[in-house]
């Protein structure tokens, strides 16, 4: 597990920026690497306001193409021409991603100086869509008005730590320690076979973040989502507007809390609040009746997931 695994909220409002809340966007940090989830209007303003280095964003994951999750994207990408980006940028989204960006770039006559890798995902089947040395990302289907996917971010085991006493006990060299930490079995100059399990502390447990927005309550989450460290679930409305929520493909605070309880999440974060609500405290109160460990998504706040 990485040393740092945290989430910064850039936007928590639905539909349009209001009450000082921007539209959906989040930054997931895994040690020095950043990953963006959704890119609603105003995302660039938030990146500057909260001093987030946009060149460190390795990949962007888009849940769906409603404007409040998407309309910050072209500006965000073209801004890289002013930030000297050279690293490739991966963007994942449902079918339509290529058409949308290619159209915008064509009419605006945009030429990028870095590689943009657009991946159109199969949104209605759960699967692994991205993997690097830090984490695995899986998508899964949500139930909204247009094709919409949720994401499961799962950290990968990194190098283990050596048990100091074992260095002398086995007479380990610098190179042998390096190999053991990386998971290899070694044979010392004295002919002793040493495994990672013999010489290193056990690995830290995996850590999982689940993003579910926008959606009606879904009947089944993928197995991988169960026992997650943090579930972000949309709660566009309070429970008295349940009928409206379902009609519009959204959830209430109670729906979100029920989902958290169902998948045994360790913590629940509510977000994607309707502009009709200025005061968000009732969301917290309603959710806690079902799931105690609930917090609210607040623009600019960072929460440790591990
Ligand atoms: Zn939305
Ligand atoms: Zn939507």
């Amino acid at each position: 597990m990485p040393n740092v695994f945290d989430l910064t909220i850039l936007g928590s409002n639905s539909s349009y920026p209001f009450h000082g809340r921007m539209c959906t966007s989040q930054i997931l940090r895994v040690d020095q690497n950043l990953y963006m989830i959704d890119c609603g209007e105003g995302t660039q303003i938030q990146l500057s306001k909260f001093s987030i280095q946009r060149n460190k964003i390795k990949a962007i994951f888009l849940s769906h193409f409603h404007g409040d999750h998407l309309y910050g994207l072209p500006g965000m990408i073209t801004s890289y021409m002013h930030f000297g980006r050279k690293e490739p940028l991966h963007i994942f989204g449902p079918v339509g991603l290529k058409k949308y960006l290619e159209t915008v770039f064509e009419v605006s006559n945009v030429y990028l100086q870095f590689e943009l890798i657009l991946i159109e995902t199969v949104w209605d089947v759960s699967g692994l869509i991205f993997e690097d040395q830090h984490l695995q990302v899986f998508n899964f289907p949500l139930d909204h008005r247009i094709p919409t996917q949720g994401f499961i971010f799962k950290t990968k085991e990194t190098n283990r730590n050596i048990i100091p006493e074992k260095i002398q006990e086995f007479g380990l060299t610098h190179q042998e320690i390096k190999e053991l930490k990386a998971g290899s079995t070694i044979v010392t100059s004295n002919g002793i076979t040493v495994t990672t399990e013999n010489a290193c502390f056990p690995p830290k447990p995996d850590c999982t973040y689940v993003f579910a927005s926008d959606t009606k309550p879904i009947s089944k989450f993928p197995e991988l989502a169960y026992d997650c460290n943090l579930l972000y679930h949309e709660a566009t409305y309070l429970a008295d507007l349940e009928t409206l929520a379902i009609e519009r493909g959204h959830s209430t605070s109670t729906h979100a809390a029920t989902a958290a309880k169902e998948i045994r999440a360790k913590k629940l974060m509510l977000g994607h609040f309707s502009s009709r609500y200025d005061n968000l405290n009732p969301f917290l109160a309603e959710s806690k009746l079902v799931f105690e460990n609930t917090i609210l998504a607040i623009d600019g706040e960072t929460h440790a997931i591990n």
Side-chain angles (χ1 to χ4, degrees), residues 64 66 68-69 144-146 148 214 250 272:
H64 66 303
H66 277 152
D68 56 330
H69 300 253
H144 193 39
R145 306 197 301 272
I146 59 172
T148 304
D214 296 356
H250 288 299
H272 198 265

Side-chain angles (χ1 to χ4, degrees), residues 13-16 23-24 38 63-64 66-69 144-145 213-215 234 236 250 272:
N13 211 49
S14 67
S15 305
Y16 56 93
C23 294
T24 301
D38 285 345
S63 61
H64 66 303
H66 277 152
D68 56 330
H69 300 253
H144 193 39
R145 306 197 301 272
S213 185
D214 296 356
T215 190
E234 74 130 286
T236 309
H250 288 299
H272 198 265

Side-chain angles (χ1 to χ4, degrees), residues 71-198:
Y71 289 172
L73 189 64
M76 161 86 189
I77 294 170
T78 50
S79 78
Y80 278 124
M81 310 218 282
H82 307 284
F83 287 84
R85 185 178 182 113
K86 293 280 180 280
E87 298 297 311
L89 177 65
H90 290 79
I91 305 181
F92 297 82
V95 172
L97 176 66
K98 289 180 184 172
K99 184 179 174 187
Y100 173 70
L101 284 179
E102 282 165 9
T103 303
V104 173
F105 292 163
E106 189 189 331
V107 298
S108 298
N109 198 24
V110 171
Y111 292 95
L112 300 173
Q113 290 153 338
F114 61 95
E115 190 184 2
L116 194 61
I117 303 155
L118 305 178
I119 298 114
E120 296 188 325
T121 49
V122 180
W123 69 276
D124 56 351
V125 181
S126 183
L128 178 70
I129 57 169
F130 177 78
E131 181 168 22
D132 63 11
Q133 65 267 46
H134 311 286
L135 84 169
Q136 291 180 313
V137 184
F138 301 82
N139 66 344
F140 64 98
L142 295 174
D143 190 0
H144 193 39
R145 306 197 301 272
I146 59 172
T148 304
Q149 57 190 347
F151 301 107
I152 300 170
F153 299 86
K154 194 170 162 47
T155 60
K156 288 168 74 170
E157 185 182 327
T158 47
N159 279 357
R160 296 199 198 180
N161 288 326
I162 197 88
I163 301 168
E165 302 84 68
K166 299 291 177 184
I167 298 172
Q168 204 176 3
E169 182 183 333
F170 296 120
L172 300 172
T173 65
H174 187 70
Q175 179 61 29
E176 286 168 346
I177 293 170
K178 207 171 145 190
E179 289 175 26
L180 285 164
K181 285 169 75 171
S184 304
T185 296
I186 58 118
V187 180
T188 67
S189 54
N190 300 328
I192 306 167
T193 300
V194 185
T195 65
T196 298
E197 285 69 29
N198 294 147

